[in-house]
Amino acid sequence: MHPYSERRARLIERMGSGVAVIATAPEHLRNRDTHYGYRHDSYFYYLTGFSEPEAVLVLIAGDAPRAILFCREKNEEREIWDGWRHGPDAAREQFGFDEAHCYAELDAKLAELIANQPRLHYVIGEDAAWDSRMMSALNAVRAQSRAGKFAPSELLDIRQPLDDMRLIKDTHELAFMRRAAEISARAHRRAMQATRPGAFEYEIEAELLYEFRRSGSEAPAYGSIVAGGANACVLHYVSNNALLRDGDLLLIDAGCELGGYASDVTRAWPVNGRYSAAQRDLYQLVLASQDAAFAAVRPGARFIDYHDAAVRVLAQGFIDLKMLEGSADSVIEQGTYKRFYMHRTGHWLGMDVHDAGEYRPRPGSAGAGEQDWRTLEAGMVLTVEPGCYVRPADDVPEAFWNIGIRIEDDVVVTADGCDIYTSATPKTIAEVEAVMREARG
């Protein structure tokens, strides 16, 4: 069975009864009559593999399950302007749907499809226009009550079961994610080789984009962060327009998307090709904290455990480097380490760079409690990304001022630990300096 058909069957089984309606993303105008580059909705694509706009999936659970696609009709004139369309017939055959209809028929058929169903599942509250459309369909059914038809009495958000499904990646997904990670590793290496004092951040960003596209990636998975010097202390810096100066570090957080799946990689390297003593001290600290986090990623561990492992190493390092005072326990208990490290050590990764899935069990579920975190399982994919960001302050050694470091890799949880998909990205001080030295001849 095709992976998309298999996922639809699993979701229908989890639904038990009722009908689910899942739309892809709309197109958005960029200016006047031109659109932003189109990107499908992740939930819709996860279940269909269908990447055209103006498409809706309807799943009917129960004794006679069905998967129905609504998509754009074949239109030779529009294909001259906008490109090839599958049309309902080809889409049904290629993607394994039980039925396929023209998108223009959706509103007329929705009332028929949801009538006499006990539950209606859809993405509730994300788009006001879509909420209104679903309410119109419900009201159309209610208007036929004298004919013996009834509307669903329960509205359920389809994201909850889909989030749980998306947390565990299948072999089809992992193959795309491994390839995306390999492309991003090459892009970071290329960026290292191109970095020079006097270049602009956007010039280095261009090297990333070139490698992404030449290797078959559709686009960056998110806005690339290319941050030299003090800009690296801005966690979501995206201006990418500053001059790179001799003696500064350059932090790059960038990953490509391939087949709808994201990669997410961060490295920090010296603009002049050689880490200073202070940069080495902080970089080695962040690297050690990442190693501790890797060791804590394994089945049965809690999601928070690898963050706690990284924080323990960072806290002690900040004390050793005279950036903080006290014991590691007190620095962690009081949260003073957050002055230099203020984010979590990772997140789920998949179709979305911050992927679907909850980090704590839902209240009322088995084992749920205020302090409980989700247990890691084989097939989950996450990032491991400790960091250190030092802004100028009188009580901090001046040599550390304006140094921002984050080291981020993508890992899949395996039966006995984790597999680092982005391991080909140069990371140790020796590796990074060697890549940059070779590029300079």
Side-chain angles (χ1 to χ4, degrees):
M1 182 182 289
H2 195 281
Y4 301 106
S5 299
E6 190 272 335
R7 292 171 197 162
R8 293 196 292 268
R10 280 197 290 136
L11 181 58
I12 287 173
E13 184 177 357
R14 293 186 66 147
M15 289 166 54
S17 63
V19 58
V21 183
I22 304 156
T24 195
E27 296 178 288
H28 291 286
L29 284 175
R30 184 180 186 276
N31 56 355
R32 198 167 175 83
D33 60 351
T34 61
H35 290 82
Y36 284 102
Y38 183 71
R39 205 272 187 182
H40 52 258
D41 174 80
S42 294
Y43 290 107
F44 175 86
Y45 190 81
Y46 178 76
L47 294 168
T48 65
F50 191 77
S51 60
E52 293 181 23
E54 295 187 296
V56 172
L57 172 67
V58 177
L59 298 177
I60 299 176
D63 296 334
R66 286 185 292 163
I68 305 168
L69 179 72
F70 290 84
C71 65
R72 299 181 302 182
E73 65 179 356
K74 291 293 288 182
N75 185 314
E76 291 184 7
E77 182 179 356
R78 291 315 313 167
E79 287 182 280
I80 291 171
W81 290 91
D82 302 325
W84 188 77
R85 300 178 176 189
H86 281 87
D89 292 338
R92 182 184 64 251
E93 181 176 348
Q94 182 172 339
F95 296 93
F97 298 105
D98 299 300
E99 301 175 27
H101 304 283
C102 290
Y103 183 76
E105 301 174 32
L106 175 64
D107 291 325
K109 288 184 176 292
L110 261 183
E112 174 188 337
L113 290 168
I114 68 176
N116 300 334
Q117 293 287 350
R119 302 181 182 90
L120 172 60
H121 310 251
Y122 76 100
V123 177
I124 298 173
E126 185 172 87
D127 182 275
W130 187 251
D131 285 337
S132 177
R133 198 169 188 177
M134 296 308 296
M135 293 306 105
S136 295
L138 287 169
N139 288 332
V141 179
R142 294 183 182 116
Q144 301 177 62
S145 60
R146 292 182 183 180
K149 294 185 179 181
F150 61 84
S153 58
E154 290 185 75
L155 298 183
L156 299 174
D157 198 315
I158 195 63
R159 286 174 291 192
Q160 181 182 346
L162 277 173
D163 285 353
D164 287 343
M165 289 174 59
R166 286 175 58 183
L167 262 179
I168 308 297
K169 272 60 178 178
D170 58 34
T171 55
H172 175 83
E173 295 176 285
L174 291 176
F176 276 110
M177 297 194 74
R178 183 182 290 277
R179 175 66 176 154
E182 292 170 351
I183 293 171
S184 293
R186 288 204 301 271
H188 276 258
R189 178 182 289 270
R190 184 182 189 90
M192 289 177 191
Q193 293 171 333
T195 300
R196 300 283 194 285
F200 283 89
E201 292 165 343
Y202 55 75
E203 295 181 74
I204 310 305
E205 180 184 13
E207 300 292 338
L208 297 166
L209 299 176
Y210 174 79
E211 192 64 44
F212 290 166
R213 289 297 288 143
R214 75 181 291 270
S215 298
S217 162
E218 298 92 354
Y222 52 95
S224 300
I225 298 170
V226 183
N231 295 334
C233 295
V234 179
L235 298 185
H236 292 159
Y237 175 82
V238 292
S239 298
N240 300 352
N241 58 7
L243 189 70
L244 299 179
R245 301 183 307 172
D246 193 353
D248 281 348
L249 282 184
L250 172 61
L251 183 152
I252 290 186
D253 185 337
C256 74
E257 180 174 291
L258 182 72
Y261 289 86
S263 56
D264 188 1
V265 188
T266 309
R267 294 291 188 266
W269 57 82
V271 170
N272 63 14
R274 186 167 181 80
Y275 293 89
S276 70
Q279 291 166 353
R280 284 171 177 264
D281 287 342
L282 288 179
Y283 192 91
Q284 285 296 153
L285 172 59
V286 176
L287 196 59
S289 72
Q290 193 193 40
D291 287 339
F294 285 145
V297 176
R298 59 184 180 276
R302 300 177 306 159
F303 176 82
I304 195 65
D305 289 343
Y306 78 97
H307 171 73
D308 289 344
V311 166
R312 172 68 57 176
V313 174
L314 289 170
Q316 186 60 57
F318 296 153
I319 295 167
D320 295 341
L321 294 172
K322 312 301 182 186
M323 298 165 64
L324 293 174
E325 295 181 348
S327 66
D329 286 339
S330 66
V331 163
I332 293 171
E333 182 178 350
Q334 297 168 18
T336 53
Y337 72 89
K338 293 180 182 178
R339 179 180 178 186
F340 306 113
Y341 178 52
M342 62 293 293
H343 60 78
R344 292 283 181 194
T345 307
H347 52 78
W348 306 131
L349 184 68
M351 286 187 152
D352 301 320
V353 68
H354 292 164
D355 205 34
E358 294 173 344
Y359 295 92
R360 292 178 182 267
R362 282 179 172 267
S365 61
E370 184 179 350
Q371 300 303 316
D372 290 329
W373 290 82
R374 186 180 286 273
T375 299
L376 299 182
E377 302 175 47
M380 291 178 171
V381 181
L382 45 83
T383 65
V384 180
E385 51 176 309
C388 174
Y389 315 90
V390 188
R391 294 176 177 273
D394 292 340
D395 60 343
V396 175
E398 186 174 354
F400 296 142
W401 289 6
N402 294 323
I403 293 178
I405 296 169
R406 184 165 60 254
I407 305 175
E408 179 179 20
D409 284 286
D410 305 342
V411 306
V412 59
V413 182
T414 62
D416 56 359
C418 66
D419 185 5
I420 305 171
Y421 275 12
T422 48
S423 59
T425 317
K427 182 163 61 175
T428 69
I429 287 176
E431 289 171 342
V432 172
E433 290 186 345
V435 167
M436 299 187 74
R437 185 169 56 249
E438 291 166 5
R440 287 161 169 73

Short mmCIF file of all heavy atoms in Angstrom, two decimals, residues 7 25 40 70 89-90 122 130 169 199 256 260 282 333 367 374 376 387 400 432:
data_model
loop_
_atom_site.label_atom_id
_atom_site.label_comp_id
_atom_site.label_asym_id
_atom_site.label_seq_id
_atom_site.Cartn_x
_atom_site.Cartn_y
_atom_site.Cartn_z
N ARG A 7 -1.70 5.89 5.50
CA ARG A 7 -1.97 6.89 6.54
C ARG A 7 -3.46 7.24 6.58
O ARG A 7 -4.03 7.41 7.67
CB ARG A 7 -1.14 8.15 6.25
CG ARG A 7 0.35 7.95 6.42
CD ARG A 7 1.11 9.16 5.92
NE ARG A 7 2.52 8.84 5.69
CZ ARG A 7 3.34 9.57 4.96
NH1 ARG A 7 2.90 10.68 4.38
NH2 ARG A 7 4.60 9.21 4.79
N ALA A 25 -3.58 24.32 1.81
CA ALA A 25 -3.40 25.76 2.05
C ALA A 25 -3.90 26.58 0.86
O ALA A 25 -3.82 26.13 -0.29
CB ALA A 25 -1.92 26.07 2.29
N HIS A 40 1.92 23.64 -0.02
CA HIS A 40 0.74 22.93 0.45
C HIS A 40 0.62 22.95 1.98
O HIS A 40 1.58 23.22 2.69
CB HIS A 40 0.84 21.47 0.00
CG HIS A 40 2.15 20.84 0.37
ND1 HIS A 40 3.17 20.65 -0.55
CD2 HIS A 40 2.66 20.41 1.56
CE1 HIS A 40 4.22 20.12 0.06
NE2 HIS A 40 3.92 19.96 1.34
N PHE A 70 -11.27 16.42 -3.71
CA PHE A 70 -11.77 17.50 -4.56
C PHE A 70 -10.56 18.29 -5.03
O PHE A 70 -9.73 18.72 -4.22
CB PHE A 70 -12.73 18.40 -3.78
CG PHE A 70 -14.04 17.75 -3.45
CD1 PHE A 70 -14.16 16.94 -2.32
CD2 PHE A 70 -15.14 17.92 -4.27
CE1 PHE A 70 -15.37 16.34 -2.02
CE2 PHE A 70 -16.36 17.32 -3.98
CZ PHE A 70 -16.47 16.51 -2.84
N ASP A 89 -9.76 12.76 -12.53
CA ASP A 89 -9.55 11.38 -12.97
C ASP A 89 -8.12 10.92 -12.73
O ASP A 89 -7.88 9.84 -12.17
CB ASP A 89 -9.91 11.24 -14.45
CG ASP A 89 -11.41 11.41 -14.70
OD1 ASP A 89 -12.20 11.22 -13.75
OD2 ASP A 89 -11.78 11.74 -15.85
N ALA A 90 -7.15 11.73 -13.17
CA ALA A 90 -5.74 11.34 -12.99
C ALA A 90 -5.37 11.32 -11.51
O ALA A 90 -4.60 10.46 -11.06
CB ALA A 90 -4.83 12.30 -13.75
N TYR A 122 -12.48 18.39 11.54
CA TYR A 122 -11.75 19.27 10.64
C TYR A 122 -10.79 20.12 11.46
O TYR A 122 -10.74 20.00 12.69
CB TYR A 122 -12.70 20.12 9.78
CG TYR A 122 -13.37 21.29 10.45
CD1 TYR A 122 -12.88 22.59 10.28
CD2 TYR A 122 -14.50 21.12 11.24
CE1 TYR A 122 -13.50 23.68 10.87
CE2 TYR A 122 -15.13 22.21 11.84
CZ TYR A 122 -14.62 23.48 11.65
OH TYR A 122 -15.24 24.56 12.25
N TRP A 130 -12.66 29.26 6.40
CA TRP A 130 -12.95 27.83 6.33
C TRP A 130 -13.95 27.43 7.43
O TRP A 130 -14.85 26.62 7.20
CB TRP A 130 -11.67 27.02 6.46
CG TRP A 130 -11.90 25.56 6.24
CD1 TRP A 130 -11.86 24.57 7.17
CD2 TRP A 130 -12.23 24.92 5.01
NE1 TRP A 130 -12.15 23.36 6.61
CE2 TRP A 130 -12.39 23.55 5.28
CE3 TRP A 130 -12.43 25.38 3.71
CZ2 TRP A 130 -12.73 22.63 4.29
CZ3 TRP A 130 -12.77 24.46 2.71
CH2 TRP A 130 -12.90 23.11 3.02
N LYS A 169 7.88 8.84 12.45
CA LYS A 169 8.12 8.87 11.01
C LYS A 169 8.26 7.46 10.45
O LYS A 169 8.88 6.58 11.06
CB LYS A 169 9.39 9.66 10.70
CG LYS A 169 9.19 11.16 10.52
CD LYS A 169 8.62 11.86 11.71
CE LYS A 169 8.48 13.36 11.50
NZ LYS A 169 7.88 14.01 12.68
N ALA A 199 32.77 40.49 3.34
CA ALA A 199 31.57 40.02 2.64
C ALA A 199 30.33 40.45 3.43
O ALA A 199 30.42 40.79 4.61
CB ALA A 199 31.60 38.51 2.49
N CYS A 256 17.19 23.07 4.34
CA CYS A 256 16.35 23.00 3.15
C CYS A 256 15.12 22.14 3.41
O CYS A 256 15.05 21.39 4.39
CB CYS A 256 17.14 22.44 1.97
SG CYS A 256 17.45 20.66 2.07
N GLY A 260 8.71 18.03 0.88
CA GLY A 260 7.81 18.45 1.94
C GLY A 260 8.36 18.30 3.34
O GLY A 260 7.67 18.61 4.31
N LEU A 282 33.98 29.19 24.50
CA LEU A 282 32.52 29.09 24.46
C LEU A 282 32.05 28.02 23.48
O LEU A 282 31.08 27.30 23.74
CB LEU A 282 31.91 30.45 24.09
CG LEU A 282 31.99 31.53 25.17
CD1 LEU A 282 31.38 32.84 24.66
CD2 LEU A 282 31.26 31.09 26.43
N GLU A 333 18.68 26.00 39.54
CA GLU A 333 17.47 26.21 40.34
C GLU A 333 16.96 27.64 40.22
O GLU A 333 15.76 27.87 40.09
CB GLU A 333 17.76 25.88 41.81
CG GLU A 333 16.53 26.00 42.70
CD GLU A 333 16.82 25.62 44.14
OE1 GLU A 333 17.92 25.08 44.41
OE2 GLU A 333 15.95 25.86 45.00
N GLY A 367 -1.06 8.48 32.66
CA GLY A 367 0.22 8.94 33.17
C GLY A 367 0.43 10.43 33.12
O GLY A 367 1.50 10.93 33.45
N ARG A 374 6.45 14.01 27.33
CA ARG A 374 6.27 12.87 26.43
C ARG A 374 7.53 12.01 26.42
O ARG A 374 8.65 12.51 26.46
CB ARG A 374 5.97 13.36 25.01
CG ARG A 374 5.64 12.24 24.04
CD ARG A 374 5.35 12.77 22.67
NE ARG A 374 4.06 13.42 22.57
CZ ARG A 374 2.91 12.80 22.31
NH1 ARG A 374 2.90 11.49 22.13
NH2 ARG A 374 1.79 13.48 22.23
N LEU A 376 10.17 9.59 24.66
CA LEU A 376 10.71 9.42 23.31
C LEU A 376 10.51 7.98 22.84
O LEU A 376 10.65 7.04 23.61
CB LEU A 376 12.20 9.79 23.28
CG LEU A 376 12.55 11.23 23.66
CD1 LEU A 376 14.05 11.45 23.54
CD2 LEU A 376 11.79 12.23 22.79
N GLY A 387 22.98 26.36 22.98
CA GLY A 387 23.63 27.58 22.52
C GLY A 387 24.12 28.43 23.66
O GLY A 387 23.96 28.10 24.84
N PHE A 400 34.21 37.87 25.84
CA PHE A 400 33.05 37.08 25.42
C PHE A 400 31.93 37.93 24.82
O PHE A 400 30.95 37.38 24.31
CB PHE A 400 32.48 36.31 26.62
CG PHE A 400 33.40 35.29 27.21
CD1 PHE A 400 33.45 35.08 28.58
CD2 PHE A 400 34.23 34.52 26.40
CE1 PHE A 400 34.30 34.15 29.13
CE2 PHE A 400 35.09 33.58 26.94
CZ PHE A 400 35.13 33.39 28.31
N VAL A 432 36.08 22.64 11.17
CA VAL A 432 35.65 23.91 10.60
C VAL A 432 36.84 24.71 10.08
O VAL A 432 36.84 25.23 8.96
CB VAL A 432 34.85 24.73 11.63
CG1 VAL A 432 34.59 26.14 11.10
CG2 VAL A 432 33.55 24.04 11.97
#
